[in-house]
Each structure stands twice: as structure tokens, then as C-alpha cells.
Amino acid sequence: MNHFIAHLFAEARSSRFTKHGATQKAENVPRGLHKHYPRFERILLPTPSASSFSLTDALEQRVSGGEMPAAPLSLQQLGDILGYGLGCRPETVKRNYPSGGALYPIETYLITTSVLDLVPGAFHYNPTHHALERLLTLEENFAVTSCIPGHKNLAVNTLLVFTSVWERSSAKYGHLSFIHGLLEAGHMSQNILLLATARGIPARPMAGFDDTTILKLLDLNPEVEQPVHSITLP
């Protein structure tokens, strides 16, 4: 069974951590939640810059596969794709992608060794503040490809990881939250891939990630939160 099928149909995701029925009244389920790491270093990202690149251009040029160039991302490039792709809209809980009930079960993490002006580390993306929260500093010899063991020959220095906090959605939607979480990760991924293409940044969706390595690196509790998708960047 390949990695994608294993992720999609794992018993832990489809039944153990999502409820068969709602556990709270719909009006009592909080909307627009995301994790915060207030005691960790917060790195504000640059305000996303405008682009004249059209959606049609991005769709026509969008490809996956091939080698990643060695050129590292800049903080501005990172701010562009995260801010436009995943950021919060002003004065609302809504973000730039759809989510069932605006419950946003998907969290975003960044594991990188090569973003300019950023010490290599693992980070959480805070969409409210458009900022990275440093979870840890990576060792000098850390290889990002250790998180995607089937692709050790790729020149990958940055990995975006999407995780699902299932209960955030299952409190209202029960079993349906499993589908909602995967759909949401897909919407987010599409935003990132198209924005990266518009800015000439190679990006590749990567379902074959290593759950155990990522859970340990990000210090996540698998009883609460689990990786569901990832995207490679230079």
C-alpha cells in the first residue's frame, strides 16, 4: 500500500479521532481557530506584494516533478505565498481558502534549512499575525529530505506540512470532518502551488512524507493532531 493510500484510509484518521456524530451544538463550536505559540520567537513576514501574473498563466505553467534549483527562498517570497495563500482576511475569521463551517482544522508548519535571513528551523505559521513561530532550530547537518524518505535525491530544502486537528471540526460535523479536513488541505495546497508558480518558485505536492519523523520533529501529539499533506519548496 503506497503512502497516499495509507494516509487516506488509516483507521486512526477515518474513525478513531473523528466522532460518528457531532459532540457540540453547532452554535457552540468556535470558528476561525488556529494554534498559537506565544512563548516562542515570532518572526513577522513581509506584507505580500502584488503580482500581475494571471490565474490562467499560473494554470498553464503549473507542473510538478523535476529537480528543485538550489536558490533559496527569500522572506518576501515566503510572505507572498503564505500571506495570499493561507492568511486571514482583515477583521474577520475567514481566510483565503474555504473551510467547512469556518472551523479551519488544518495547521501549517514550515521545516527549512535555506530561507534567506532565517536561521534553519521548524516553524508554525500564524495566519492572524502573518508570522512564523520558531519551534526549534535545526542542527547544521539536518536534511529536509529525511521527512520525505522516498525522495532523498530531490534538492529540497523547505517543506510545508499541513496537519489536521480533527476535533476542531468533528465537534460539529462528526465523521464528515475527515473529508472536510482532506478537502481543506487540498484547497490550501492549490493556493500555494499556484502562487509559487506565479512567482517562479518550484513547488511540488508530496503525499509520501514520514509521519513519525514529522510528529517527532514538530513535537505533535498524534492523539490530537496528525500530518495529512506536504509541499516541497527550494
Side-chain angles (χ1 to χ4, degrees), residues 25-37:
K25 293 182 179 180
E27 61 270 21
N28 295 333
V29 180
R31 302 164 72 237
L33 294 181
H34 63 77
K35 293 172 72 174
H36 296 264
Y37 290 86

Side-chain angles (χ1 to χ4, degrees), residues 16-210:
R16 182 178 174 191
F17 299 124
T18 58
K19 310 301 181 184
H20 288 278
T23 58
Q24 297 184 42
K25 293 182 179 180
E27 61 270 21
N28 295 333
V29 180
R31 302 164 72 237
L33 294 181
H34 63 77
K35 293 172 72 174
H36 296 264
Y37 290 86
R39 292 181 295 174
F40 288 68
E41 176 191 9
R42 178 179 291 171
I43 302 160
L44 295 178
L45 292 169
T47 301
S49 58
S51 171
S52 59
F53 205 83
S54 72
L55 176 60
T56 301
D57 291 336
L59 289 169
E60 289 179 345
Q61 296 183 31
R62 170 74 212 133
V63 295
S64 290
E67 288 294 322
M68 296 273 185
L73 290 171
S74 68
L75 279 179
Q76 182 65 63
Q77 288 175 315
L78 195 58
D80 288 349
I81 62 176
L82 291 179
Y84 280 131
L86 310 179
C88 289
R89 298 177 180 177
E91 301 179 3
T92 177
V93 299
K94 295 296 184 69
R95 302 180 200 167
N96 293 337
Y97 55 90
S99 177
L103 300 180
Y104 300 105
I106 305 299
E107 295 283 344
T108 304
Y109 298 88
L110 183 80
I111 302 167
T112 183
T113 59
S114 71
V115 175
L116 294 172
D117 301 318
L118 190 66
V119 175
F123 305 85
H124 171 256
Y125 177 61
N126 184 318
T128 297
H129 297 285
H130 185 46
L132 297 177
E133 295 163 329
R134 181 182 293 277
L135 306 182
L136 60 90
T137 297
L138 295 173
E139 297 180 1
E140 186 174 346
N141 61 348
F142 180 85
V144 173
T145 51
S146 65
C147 299
I148 47 172
H151 301 273
K152 290 186 179 296
N153 294 327
L154 281 181
V156 173
N157 298 307
T158 300
L159 187 71
L160 274 180
V161 176
F162 296 138
T163 66
S164 184
V165 182
W166 300 108
E167 190 172 359
R168 200 178 286 167
S169 180
S170 68
K172 179 178 180 179
Y173 292 112
H175 245 20
L176 189 59
S177 61
F178 176 62
I179 296 173
H180 282 181
L182 297 181
L183 287 171
E184 183 171 319
H187 297 314
M188 296 166 71
S189 175
Q190 186 70 12
N191 280 3
I192 294 297
L193 295 173
L194 290 175
L195 285 160
T197 299
R199 282 158 172 75
I201 302 167
R204 179 175 180 173
M206 189 65 63
F209 52 84
D210 186 289

